[in-house]
Amino acid sequence: MATVPALPTQKRPAAPSITTLPQPRWVPWALTLLLAVTAVLYTWNIGVGGYSDYYATAVKSMSVSWKAFFFGAFDPRGTITLDKLAGFLLPQALSARIFGFSPASLALPQIIEGLVTVLSSYLLIRKWAGWATALAGAVIMASTPLLVSMYSHPMEDSLLTMCTTLAVLAFQHSLDTHKTRYLLLCGAMVGIGFQAKMMQAWLILPALAAVYLLMRTVQMRKSIRDLLLAAGVTAAVSLSWMSAIALVPATERPYIDGSLNNNIFSMVFGYNGFNRFIPGLLPGALGADPGAGPSGTTAITAAAVVSHTPIKLLLPADASQIGWLYPMALAGIVLGLTQLRAPQTGPGPTAHGPAQQLKSGILLCVAWLVSVGSVLGVMTLPHTAYLAALTLPLAAMAAIGAKLLWHTFNHATGRVRYALPALVLVQSLWAAGVSLAYPGFLPWFSPAIIVLGAAAAAVLAAAVRKNPATPWKRSRLRYRYMGPGLALCVVLAGPVAWSVSTLNPTYAGTANDAHAGPYLATADASQRMSATLNDGNYGIGLASNRAVRETAAAEAEMYRYATAHSTSAGYAMATDSWRSAAPLILSGGGQRVLPIAGYSSRVPSPTAKEIRNLAAAGSLPFIVLTGDGAKSGHTTPHLDAIAQWVHQHCTPVPPSAYLPATRSGDATGTAVTSLFHCHPGIRPGLS
């Protein structure tokens, strides 16, 4: 009996993959144009961007002394280091050595780091979701307000952000090819990032390890072995510079600031690490200033609670810097998690196909945001630049979210197709809400973005109603291009407006605070200061006495007098505050100044005995004593002992001896600063 042939099953045509679209020839040109525009934005204020005095002083010293360069010393003679690893200053010091010391030469390395970061983000997101998504992600990265300000100034987070991006790029290539050498390269890049920001560079490691194990295509034993090898490389590169410094005898290297025992491990892992969460955990690290007392009120307020939770990242102060596309990124996470069951495609068992690459990107970004975001959320962030660690996963998920929404808009069935117009409307309301916190800045922005968002959502929704099968392809031109164009304007309006505002130096932030656009009305007055001093050359940053012009001028005259009346080749003058020493070193003439007590004014270097012996030997003829207001911390027994000995055994130098005749009667600038002459052969005193 003849069999009846089965009728062919009618199937809905499969939607094209979002990661396998062929790349048009114009994409490299578009990427080049994006990098060129980004370079202009980053370099616009290169001559007036300024620098942070404390770090800039070290750069000046490192650019004129290879000893200071190797140890990351604050002063040219290398008597004391910075209170953190100085890896982020090495490119600045080399640039200053080549091009001369200036705000432009110090900013140049960060501009290059920023361009590398944007390019690397494109290459990384292209692996995850294809060229279109990668181009969108690179645009989002380039227009993130925080990054525009950060890469325009000499800051430590710039090198860390670049190294983290390169590390994740190497990590993804290791997943794609399963070649261990790329995983080791990832570990090395994290180690280089450690030189820039120490333990913060390690925050990405748990997310990388978890995703590597989840996405493995080989046996668990080999995956764990590879991770251990990469961890070893990370540890070796991270600790390499520290170990080299630690091997140098204490008498032949600078004192390690941030420590009480002259130990670099105490400084890195104690003062800059675990002791910030558990005071006194690691011995030898400098603790909190005991003379400062409790800061502010001890009452538990809502603001105090929020400041230690990730909720603060949703508030305008942080959202205006990194969070304009929070709704789009959230959509990317929600829709992206639905892609995790996508079957693997690819040439073989040891390589990831497009679906697996997208899966690894989504998993890594989510793990990254959860792990790093949780740590930054509970921390009290001293600088906005810390948030740069979240910019890449946010940009990637926003770009992936936009791509998935567009894919759903054109190929899904049912009401889910309205997800794109709904998200565009939500995005416009969110941007308007963030902007409303700054009523004096672009007052038209909020109403304009709401109208624009409503129009975009209406056009997109109309396209769905009129052409349910393929809303974009079969729509008339006004629906086909107007809707996506308006939606693009809604998405990018906020970050672009805040980023472009940095063309005005007032809105460009400073080298001590990466911040684009205006500050909140409730912000601290020092934050809301202009990005330049009156001379237009220097940012506020960690202000030295340059910010107090009369004091700086008087101390410059003191140093000139001390140098002229110094008969030895030793130090001409010592000062008990880095704020006093910094302008002398920055001017290029302070190579014979000896800073006392480090950044915090609480480090016992040089000791009181060493000061007395130098003075007795004629190697330190003059000492400057400043008031408490000129120091970073409160006075300490160490400084008290030095000041007491100076008052008892050294002779005050009258202002008329070093100030010009026209100013000798003016006490301004010398009221809290006094110069003392310690004669050679003076009795050192008790040890």
Side-chain angles (χ1 to χ4, degrees), residues 108-415:
L108 179 61
Q110 283 69 227
I111 295 170
I112 297 173
E113 291 162 7
L115 294 176
V116 172
T117 301
V118 173
L119 177 59
S120 301
S121 66
Y122 169 82
L123 298 175
L124 176 61
I125 300 173
R126 188 178 66 179
K127 286 178 172 290
W128 289 341
W131 66 266
T133 310
L135 200 56
V139 170
I140 295 171
M141 281 289 287
S143 61
T144 299
L146 175 68
L147 296 186
V148 175
S149 177
M150 183 182 76
Y151 284 125
S152 301
H153 296 93
M155 304 190 74
E156 54 194 320
D157 298 84
S158 302
L159 180 60
L160 172 61
T161 305
M162 183 193 74
C163 288
T164 301
T165 306
L166 292 174
V168 177
L169 180 60
F171 171 85
Q172 184 61 45
H173 199 62
S174 174
L175 279 181
D176 295 343
T177 63
H178 215 80
K179 294 181 178 179
T180 306
R181 62 175 178 268
Y182 293 110
L183 188 63
L184 301 183
L185 177 60
C186 170
M189 293 309 304
V190 173
I192 296 174
F194 184 92
Q195 314 305 327
K197 207 72 187 292
M198 295 168 292
M199 293 178 64
Q200 187 179 336
W202 291 353
L203 293 180
I204 188 66
L205 294 178
L208 294 176
V211 172
Y212 192 80
L213 293 177
L214 286 173
M215 299 298 297
R216 71 184 191 279
T217 56
V218 296
Q219 293 181 346
M220 176 66 78
R221 180 181 299 179
K222 184 179 185 303
S223 297
I224 294 177
R225 185 203 67 183
D226 291 346
L227 283 177
L228 291 177
L229 287 174
V233 171
T234 300
V237 177
S238 298
L239 304 181
S240 58
W241 192 14
M242 297 169 56
S243 300
I245 293 176
L247 291 174
V248 178
T251 57
E252 299 178 16
R253 60 167 171 78
Y255 186 93
I256 306 298
D257 199 354
S259 73
L260 297 174
N261 59 355
N262 200 10
N263 186 291
I264 194 168
F265 292 94
S266 298
M267 179 265 281
V268 171
F269 295 111
Y271 174 70
N272 287 296
F274 298 111
N275 288 24
R276 296 198 175 189
F277 299 94
I278 306 177
L281 179 63
L282 296 181
L286 187 68
D289 188 348
S295 58
T297 177
T298 57
I300 299 177
T301 63
V305 173
V306 169
S307 67
H308 291 283
T309 67
I311 296 176
K312 68 185 176 189
L313 302 179
L314 302 176
L315 301 180
D318 292 338
S320 65
Q321 301 305 302
I322 66 168
W324 289 98
L325 302 187
Y326 278 164
M328 191 68 71
L330 180 60
I333 293 173
V334 173
L335 294 176
L337 291 177
T338 65
Q339 302 289 319
L340 298 185
R341 294 185 179 181
Q344 176 178 338
T345 60
T350 61
H352 282 196
Q356 291 296 87
Q357 289 177 316
L358 178 61
K359 181 177 179 180
S360 62
I362 294 170
L363 284 174
L364 180 56
C365 287
V366 172
W368 189 341
L369 289 171
V370 170
S371 59
V372 179
S374 297
V375 174
L376 297 181
V378 300
M379 287 177 58
T380 299
L381 302 179
H383 308 293
T384 316
Y386 278 71
L387 299 177
L390 301 176
T391 54
L392 176 56
L394 284 173
M397 291 314 304
I400 291 174
K403 187 65 177 181
L404 291 175
L405 284 166
W406 184 250
H407 197 69
T408 302
F409 177 73
N410 283 284
H411 301 291
T413 58
R415 296 181 178 179

Side-chain angles (χ1 to χ4, degrees), residues 317 382 512-513 515 518-530 540-541:
N512 190 47
D513 186 38
H515 189 282
Y519 284 95
L520 291 172
T522 56
D524 182 81
S526 63
Q527 291 182 311
R528 292 185 275 110
M529 293 178 70
S530 171
I540 299 299

